[in-house]
Amino acid sequence: MEIYYTDPYVFTRHPWSLEDLICCCDEKRIVEGDKLEEFIKKLSKIDSDSLSLVSERTYPNARIAYVLKNQKKEKLLEVILWAWGTEKDDFVYVNGIPIQEERFFYNLIEDYIPENRYSTQRHKY
């Protein structure tokens, strides 16, 4: 799994797509082996009933993203934190679908991001 991240407060001329983040990220991490198995176990605990789709128009504003691929390099999971909408910035994209922000998606990777490196308080964490 690859994790890309940059300062959540970096100013950009437009909301960043995943491609923008990959191109311009501050850091990239690779998660593999036992840590990847641990991630997959955490992921399996997701309660899909707790996820709410977003009905308003949103745009990815990628500051942290992670992509899980299989052996054939096909994407299995793509999560973009966060998204920009007309009302607020409380959305994430999961496999291209905007949903109400869930701390679950950040919690999955917080152990792989340097502690205190990026403040996420604006996102209610």
Side-chain angles (χ1 to χ4, degrees):
M1 179 177 65
E2 299 170 340
I3 301 173
Y4 305 91
Y5 50 96
T6 196
D7 182 345
Y9 299 107
V10 68
F11 178 75
T12 59
R13 292 181 182 257
H14 59 85
W16 275 9
S17 66
L18 176 61
E19 292 76 21
D20 293 329
L21 178 62
I22 290 171
C23 171
C24 303
C25 67
D26 291 335
E27 296 189 47
K28 174 184 174 182
R29 295 281 170 104
I30 304 293
V31 178
E32 54 193 1
D34 292 342
K35 290 184 178 190
L36 183 57
E37 287 181 32
E38 180 182 319
F39 168 84
I40 291 170
K41 284 179 187 175
K42 288 180 188 178
L43 181 63
S44 69
K45 294 179 182 176
I46 191 168
D47 178 10
S48 61
D49 292 336
S50 71
L51 302 179
S52 300
L53 297 177
V54 173
S55 59
E56 73 176 273
R57 185 176 178 112
T58 63
Y59 305 92
N61 194 13
R63 295 299 182 259
I64 301 173
Y66 49 99
V67 179
L68 177 64
K69 297 179 181 179
N70 64 14
Q71 297 285 349
K72 297 178 185 178
K73 305 292 183 195
E74 300 166 326
K75 283 185 189 178
L76 301 175
L77 176 67
E78 175 185 286
V79 177
I80 299 173
L81 305 169
W82 290 272
W84 176 82
T86 57
E87 298 288 322
K88 50 189 174 178
D89 281 350
D90 292 348
F91 312 122
V92 298
Y93 271 74
V94 179
N95 289 343
I97 300 170
I99 63 167
Q100 285 295 105
E101 184 172 42
E102 287 289 328
R103 181 163 175 84
F104 176 82
F105 292 105
Y106 178 79
N107 289 346
L108 282 172
I109 60 160
E110 68 184 335
D111 292 340
Y112 311 118
I113 297 173
E115 187 175 345
N116 298 323
R117 177 67 190 267
Y118 300 108
S119 171
T120 58
Q121 291 189 3
R122 137 182 123 126
H123 297 284
K124 302 177 197 164
Y125 299 149

